[in-house]
Amino acid sequence: MNCRTSPLTVSLGTALGIRLFFALVFPNYYAPDEVFQYLEQAHRLVFGQGYVPWEFQVGLRSWAIPLLLAGPMALAHWFTPAPQAGLVLIRILLCLAALPIVWCATKWGERWYGRQGAWIAGMLAALWPDLWLMAPHPLEEVLAADIFVPALYLVEACRGRGDLRHVGWAGFLLGLTFALREQLGPAIMLAGIYLCGRSPRRWLLAVPVAALPVLGAGLLDWYTWGQMFRSFWMNIDLNIIHSVVSQYFDSEPPAYYLLNLLYDWLWGAAFMVCFAWLGARKLPVMGLAALVIIAVHTAVAHKELRYIFPAVALLVPLAGVGLAGLCANRTLLQKTLLTAGLLTGPYMSPLLYMMVPWQGHAIHLYAELAARHPCVVSIRTWNRGFWPILPLFTDTRFTGPETVPGGVQPDAIVAAADTSAIPAGFTRQSCAPESWIPFHQRQPDVCFWTRPVTTCPAGAVIPFVLVYPPGARDYVIRDRLTDAPSALAQ
């Protein structure tokens, strides 16, 4: 094996092995959007029916990610009717899609500090918990990070060079990042300025190429929602102008991201700041982009840690480069202590041990229920630690606790173990606890009850509703992709 490629091969192999292990052995879901807005919508395209969240009733989300996921889901469906196969295939493909971050980190380390730098930066990106934990999740932030980091690699490669060899590809990837996650616009603009500088030739090439994926996203909105860029401007309209969403969801203080990163990395946060700052001296556009991402999202009232994942995906390679620089001409003991100081913090964080099995009990309970092929499931309980995992079902319909008078009655009920409102004729089958949340009192177990039915009767059911901001009802629009009014799609 060529010694120059050995760090890259080992880093990529280690990264893929870790990501596949946790994706397949400990399947989990990181955020509700992943289940209800992306996987369930892809499931709806492949299987013909499913839950329609409010975002897909008002045209707030693009169909791009569900269409992307529907491909492997449909491929798996050709071989087996079980939806689980498609979900597994998606996890595998997403783990592969996350490898460019490790590739870029290895190459940056090699560029500045040779073979030792490649080993340090590459293996840090392969082993960093946030990166392998988020890799198999089909979220905007994750997919955008998978593209934004290689885009900045090309941007950095163009620095000080007069040719245009990488400019077009860098522009295209920056445009694709924006199409996936418009909230990264300021960081993308910064990268574009750094890429093109004062060169008219670069601007004339990069801007039209970057506009191609953005225009494609706009045309997809036109085809699906009937309006160009609806998912872009509707996001701004509902969140900022009319505050429909911000009034419904919680607001967090400005220090939210800093405090949560400290909780996520513990003492490793101090090492991260130091090493990333050293790395940013070599790769300034990456450091500035990470700071811009954090600053922009800090200014938004509703905050979730995953929103700044693209910044984390930049900080880890930066820290790898900075660590490689510090390790130059150091003893083995010094190198070990520096690396341990950075890595042991996130591996000791309670947040990691909460998220690795997150929603695992819900997955097993709903998979067991799905194996019984119920006709109508009444979901009467869900909470932060136990979500309804609806993409596991094929042709099942879902309703809440209410039923239509004279309509179809459920033949399966999901409710808290201590509920006393289970009708006669139902038998409790299985129970599971909610996911562990540190410093949080555990809620009662969730169970499901079934009753025997011979055939699935036709008739109306009240669609299950997870969340629905009241003000959003005024914006319901026809979903042209499924050719049905969104609010009545189930």
Side-chain angles (χ1 to χ4, degrees):
M1 180 181 295
N2 190 324
C3 64
R4 295 181 60 190
T5 61
S6 177
L8 180 62
T9 302
V10 175
S11 295
L12 290 176
T14 302
L16 182 60
I18 292 174
R19 283 150 179 76
L20 288 177
F21 173 79
F22 283 97
L24 302 179
V25 178
F26 298 97
N28 64 356
Y29 292 112
Y30 191 90
D33 289 0
E34 166 184 10
V35 178
F36 303 108
Q37 296 187 36
Y38 301 124
L39 289 172
E40 178 65 6
Q41 303 319 298
H43 179 277
R44 189 155 64 96
L45 292 174
V46 175
F47 291 89
Q49 68 177 41
Y51 169 71
V52 186
W54 73 271
E55 292 90 347
F56 276 84
Q57 296 185 30
V58 303
L60 182 66
R61 290 286 181 262
S62 170
W63 273 101
I65 294 179
L67 283 170
L68 182 68
L69 301 178
M73 193 175 288
L75 177 64
H77 187 50
W78 288 343
F79 294 95
T80 173
Q84 288 89 336
L87 298 175
V88 170
L89 180 57
I90 288 171
R91 293 191 191 106
I92 293 173
L93 294 176
L94 288 173
C95 288
L96 292 171
L99 293 181
I101 296 176
V102 180
W103 187 93
C104 292
T106 308
K107 287 296 184 179
W108 275 318
E110 183 181 48
R111 173 186 170 186
W112 291 106
Y113 298 106
R115 188 164 183 262
Q116 177 176 276
W119 277 111
I120 293 173
M123 291 303 294
L124 181 66
L127 296 173
W128 192 261
D130 295 297
L131 299 187
W132 56 252
L133 179 65
M134 296 293 284
H137 299 287
L139 292 163
E140 286 182 0
E141 302 82 5
V142 176
L143 296 174
D146 292 342
I147 298 170
F148 192 42
V149 174
L152 289 184
Y153 178 86
L154 294 177
V155 169
E156 285 283 352
C158 293
R159 184 173 63 173
R161 302 181 59 170
D163 61 83
L164 304 178
R165 185 173 56 169
H166 298 306
V167 173
W169 282 112
F172 180 82
L173 293 180
L174 290 175
L176 185 56
T177 303
F178 180 79
L180 285 170
R181 182 71 177 166
E182 63 186 281
Q183 291 86 345
L184 297 179
I188 293 169
M189 184 182 302
L190 172 69
I193 294 172
Y194 191 88
L195 171 68
C196 300
R198 299 180 180 180
S199 171
R201 294 175 62 215
R202 291 194 173 195
W203 284 106
L204 289 174
L205 174 60
V207 172
V209 172
L212 291 176
V214 179
L215 179 60
L219 290 173
L220 178 60
D221 278 357
W222 170 79
Y223 178 77
T224 54
W225 301 120
Q227 296 174 341
M228 286 286 290
F229 296 108
R230 180 179 175 89
S231 64
F232 289 77
W233 57 260
M234 182 58 70
N235 201 337
I236 298 173
D237 185 48
L238 292 185
N239 282 284
I240 299 177
I241 298 177
H242 291 96
S243 300
V244 170
V245 178
S246 60
Q247 293 176 4
Y248 188 79
F249 293 99
D250 293 335
S251 297
E252 301 294 345
Y256 173 87
Y257 288 120
L258 295 180
L259 292 176
N260 274 270
L261 287 176
L262 182 61
Y263 180 43
D264 187 15
W265 299 338
L266 300 180
W267 56 85
F271 289 86
M272 172 63 76
V273 171
C274 176
F275 297 161
W277 177 75
L278 293 174
R281 297 177 67 181
K282 300 293 186 182
L283 303 166
V285 68
M286 289 181 57
L288 289 173
L291 290 177
V292 168
I293 293 170
I294 295 173
V296 168
H297 286 84
T298 297
V300 179
H302 179 61
K303 300 176 178 66
E304 296 182 32
L305 189 56
R306 64 185 172 97
Y307 291 167
I308 63 167
F309 175 72
V312 175
L314 294 173
L315 290 173
V316 174
L318 282 176
V321 173
L323 176 60
L326 275 179
C327 287
N329 302 318
R330 303 270 180 176
T331 65
L332 178 61
L333 176 61
Q334 291 173 324
K335 295 176 184 178
T336 303
L337 291 176
L338 288 171
T339 305
L342 177 62
L343 267 178
T344 54
Y347 272 99
M348 295 294 290
S349 172
L351 186 60
L352 176 64
Y353 296 96
M354 180 184 83
M355 296 309 303
V356 167
W358 189 243
Q359 304 302 322
H361 295 305
I363 293 172
H364 291 305
L365 183 81
Y366 275 95
E368 183 178 347
L369 176 56
R372 297 173 179 268
H373 304 287
C375 302
V376 178
V377 176
S378 173
I379 300 175
R380 302 187 179 184
T381 186
W382 67 272
N383 55 52
R384 178 188 172 195
F386 208 100
W387 306 334
I389 313 299
L390 307 185
L392 295 171
F393 297 79
T394 51
D395 54 357
T396 298
R397 293 189 291 171
F398 302 95
T399 185
E402 301 85 9
T403 59
V404 177
V408 177
Q409 300 300 306
D411 55 299
I413 295 174
V414 178
D418 59 356
T419 186
S420 59
I422 303 299
F426 283 83
T427 303
R428 189 163 80 173
Q429 303 294 341
S430 186
C431 298
E434 69 172 3
S435 295
W436 173 69
I437 303 174
F439 316 113
H440 175 80
Q441 184 176 0
R442 191 180 292 274
Q443 300 295 316
D445 288 357
V446 176
C447 306
F448 75 84
W449 291 256
T450 62
R451 65 179 177 88
V453 294
T454 54
T455 59
C456 291
V461 298
I462 299 176
F464 170 69
V465 176
L466 190 71
V467 293
Y468 208 121
R473 298 187 185 277
D474 297 333
Y475 299 88
V476 171
I477 190 173
R478 176 175 289 271
D479 175 6
R480 295 171 62 180
L481 185 63
T482 58
D483 196 29
S486 294
L488 304 175
Q490 181 168 344

